[in-house]
Amino acid sequence: MDRQAVYADYARARRTFHALLGHASQGGLDRPSDGTLWTNRQLLWHMLFGYIITRVLLVLARAFSRLPRRLSRGFARLLDAGTKPFDLVNYLGPRGAARIISPQRMGAMFDKVTGALERRLAAEAEADFARGMHYPVRWDPFFKDFMTVADIYRYPTEHFDFHHRQLTLDEPG
């Protein structure tokens, strides 16, 4: 696990996120994104949420990695069976959150959550990076059937970079 690469990716995403928020006009935030049903403001929230949910994914991986692997496989299958309700919640969540959380607050939240992930990464025992569990592959294109703790630390920036390309904001100069 290359911790420095993950720190660098989080720092790059943080700079990018703040630049996007800082240069976005109200009209740009309300413009539809490319390839999603969200506005740019809603998609920015979803990009932030990728980092927020990573903290939960790490807790799940640590817990399930101590159990027989078949339990996490069954849990992942159960979650995959619930993909339709998940997709609805995943769609509606950013629509609601973007209405009540300002871009300034999103920026502060991004700093807080990436800082927490960095502190947790710094404290992670080397042996724990190989721990993992099965994940619901139908929920996210970046979920693999089996993800290690190391994979999970890299997940939010892959998610961020993918969705960054879908924003239709005027890019900061």
Side-chain angles (χ1 to χ4, degrees):
M1 174 68 174
D2 185 350
R3 294 175 206 243
Q4 292 308 315
V6 173
Y7 295 141
D9 283 344
Y10 288 4
R12 176 185 51 80
R14 197 167 31 249
R15 285 189 308 273
T16 301
F17 197 73
H18 282 283
L20 290 165
L21 292 174
H23 290 88
S25 66
Q26 184 63 45
L29 288 169
D30 294 336
R31 187 180 310 139
S33 61
D34 182 23
T36 79
L37 298 175
W38 291 314
T39 65
N40 287 318
R41 179 191 309 263
Q42 293 162 350
L43 185 54
L44 285 163
W45 166 259
H46 180 75
M47 292 163 65
L48 163 61
F49 192 71
Y51 287 90
I52 294 170
I53 197 69
T54 296
R55 295 175 74 184
V56 175
L57 298 176
L58 287 166
V59 169
L60 286 172
R62 285 187 198 96
F64 273 100
S65 70
R66 288 169 169 75
L67 301 171
R69 197 173 272 195
R70 64 182 159 71
L71 293 178
S72 77
R73 185 178 295 115
F75 182 65
R77 285 183 181 152
L78 178 67
L79 294 177
D80 264 340
T83 297
K84 285 191 186 291
F86 167 81
D87 286 345
L88 181 61
V89 170
N90 191 43
Y91 167 68
L92 293 175
R95 289 180 55 97
R99 286 181 178 210
I100 59 172
I101 300 173
S102 70
Q104 295 79 15
R105 182 75 182 118
M106 282 188 219
M109 291 173 73
F110 201 95
D111 293 345
K112 183 177 178 180
V113 72
T114 55
L117 286 168
E118 288 168 339
R119 288 187 297 279
R120 182 64 199 126
L121 176 59
E124 199 79 58
E126 197 66 34
D128 287 341
F129 289 124
R131 293 184 171 281
M133 66 176 279
H134 290 275
Y135 278 87
V137 295
R138 294 176 54 200
W139 280 30
D140 190 287
F142 299 104
F143 282 178
K144 297 183 282 190
D145 175 50
F146 189 87
M147 293 179 68
T148 64
V149 167
D151 294 329
I152 296 165
Y153 276 110
R154 290 185 290 265
Y155 160 77
T157 305
E158 290 177 305
H159 178 264
F160 179 93
D161 289 343
F162 174 80
H163 287 302
H164 180 202
R165 293 186 292 273
Q166 294 178 309
L167 292 168
T168 59
L169 294 167
D170 296 327
E171 287 290 324

